Every structure is written in C-alpha cells, then in structure tokens.
Amino acid sequence: MIDPSSIEAPMTPTLCLTGGGHASVVIDAASLQGEVTITAILDDDDTALGATRYGVPVIATLEHLEAMPEQGFHQFILGLGGTDAPGGARQREALFDRAWKAGLEPVTIIHPRSIIAGGVFIGGGSAVLAGAILNPRSRVGVNAIINSGAIVEHDVRVGDHAHVAPGAILCGGVSIGSRAHVGAGAVIRQGLSIGDDAVIAAGAVVVRDVPVGAVMMGTPAAPVARAAGEAA
C-alpha cells in the first residue's frame, strides 16, 4: 500500500472504489461538481498498484478497504459501474455495504450539467451524470446510478443500488426496484412497477409491470428465461 500522506488533498480525502471505466466518469463528474476531490483509488487489480488512473493514484487493493479510515480517508464513491450481468448489482451493493461498515461515508455525485428539479431526493452515494434529468417529486435511493442522458420523470421512485443506463426514459410515476437495471435507451411506460433485481434490456419498451428478478427484452418487452444457475 502506498502512503496516503504523500497525496495532496486540498479537500476531504475521498476514495474511489475500483478504477474501471465507470470510475473515469464519476471522477470527472466529481471534479466538475467542485465539492468533492477524489484523491485515491482502491482497485481489485493488484497490478495497478502505484499506477495513476484518470489522474488519481491507485494506492492499494480492495483488501485494504477496512484500514482506510485509519489512513485518514472518511468518504468514498463507487467506481464500479452498473451492469446487466447476473449478480452485477449485488456486487455494487456488497461493496457499498462493506465500505459503509468500515466507517466510510458515501459521497453523492451530481454532474453540474444534469437537471434536477426542486424537491428531488437523491440518496447517499448515488451518481447523477451528465445530461440526466430528474423531474419534480422523483426520488432516488442510495448507491443508484442515473446515467448520462437518462430521463426520470415526475413522481418516479428509483430503488437502492439500481442503475438507469444512458438514455433510458422512466415516465411519470414509475417505480424501479432495488438493484434493478434499466438498459440504455429503454422506455418504461407511466405508472409501471419494475421489481427488485429485474433487468430491462437496452432498447426495450416496457408496457406492463415487471416481476421481481425478471429479464425483459424487445418491443413491447417480453420475458426472457435466465440460463440455469444464473442469479439475479
């Protein structure tokens, strides 16, 4: 592990957990937000130790996560992106919970070029990225991703650890369950409910409620059977 005291930290030191592609997006959004400085990355790739990713040093592997408060870190964001792969959202949830239990506070990232109506609630550790729109009385849970260009209309509820992918549209009154994934460019008709752990494929048009754990694809969206052994 690299000595964190060697890192210049003009604001409260904040960790980014994992350093993949999504990390580059949240690190950039944080720098533009101006209230958060990402000063170090923990990654699950031990070959990255000592490297710099997106201008931020990789100081340790994730096995050192629980030691980070003793090293002066008290905040974190997840660089682990949302995915439609089986179990992907649960990996994000597990890493979020692990950091929280270690004593780190989740940081909420709001890109300055997103549009957020007054009175919208956004839970801790969530990321609202460039071009996203959240309209009145919408509510986003903890550790959710409202990705680039997504539209969250009035009175929508997005559950904890859910991912609304780029360009997806949630019409008024939609409810998205915990850990659900709404794929890029998908459209959810007004007033519908998407169950926990459900996956809506990219480009799908959903015209009826979706049960817990279902995988939906097509226009109109229809259920697709999971392969044997796949978990939600």
Side-chain angles (χ1 to χ4, degrees), residues 55-73:
V56 180
V58 180
I59 66 165
T61 58
L62 286 171
E63 67 179 338
H64 295 282
L65 174 57
E66 282 72 18
M68 289 297 105
E70 297 176 1
Q71 301 297 324
F73 290 97

Side-chain angles (χ1 to χ4, degrees), residues 6 9 12 29 34-35 56 61 72 79 98 105 117 122 146-148 150 157 170 174 186 203 208 216 218 220:
S6 65
T12 302
E35 299 174 357
V56 180
T61 58
R98 183 181 163 196
E105 292 285 337
I122 301 171
I146 310 299
N147 221 316
S148 307
R157 297 292 181 267
L170 311 182
V174 162
R208 58 179 61 87
M216 306 292 289

Side-chain angles (χ1 to χ4, degrees), residues 89-145:
R90 290 192 179 274
Q91 291 177 358
R92 278 180 47 82
E93 179 182 31
L95 185 55
F96 181 90
D97 289 348
R98 183 181 163 196
W100 176 265
K101 290 175 182 176
L104 297 167
E105 292 285 337
V107 172
T108 302
I109 301 297
I110 300 177
H111 196 288
R113 288 191 286 278
S114 61
I115 299 173
I116 301 176
V120 170
F121 176 85
I122 301 171
S126 289
V128 180
L129 299 175
I133 299 173
L134 277 69
N135 273 328
R137 298 180 303 281
S138 56
R139 183 181 180 89
V140 177
V142 302
N143 190 36
I145 303 171

Side-chain angles (χ1 to χ4, degrees), residues 134-211:
L134 277 69
N135 273 328
R137 298 180 303 281
S138 56
R139 183 181 180 89
V140 177
V142 302
N143 190 36
I145 303 171
I146 310 299
N147 221 316
S148 307
I151 297 175
V152 176
E153 266 299 343
H154 63 88
D155 302 294
V156 165
R157 297 292 181 267
V158 177
D160 296 344
H161 317 292
H163 180 204
V164 182
I169 300 174
L170 311 182
C171 295
V174 162
S175 177
I176 304 295
S178 296
R179 299 173 302 278
H181 177 93
V182 181
V187 178
I188 314 296
R189 196 180 71 181
Q190 66 270 17
L192 296 183
S193 177
I194 309 300
D196 294 350
D197 300 297
V199 174
I200 310 302
V205 177
V206 179
V207 297
R208 58 179 61 87
D209 289 344
V210 174

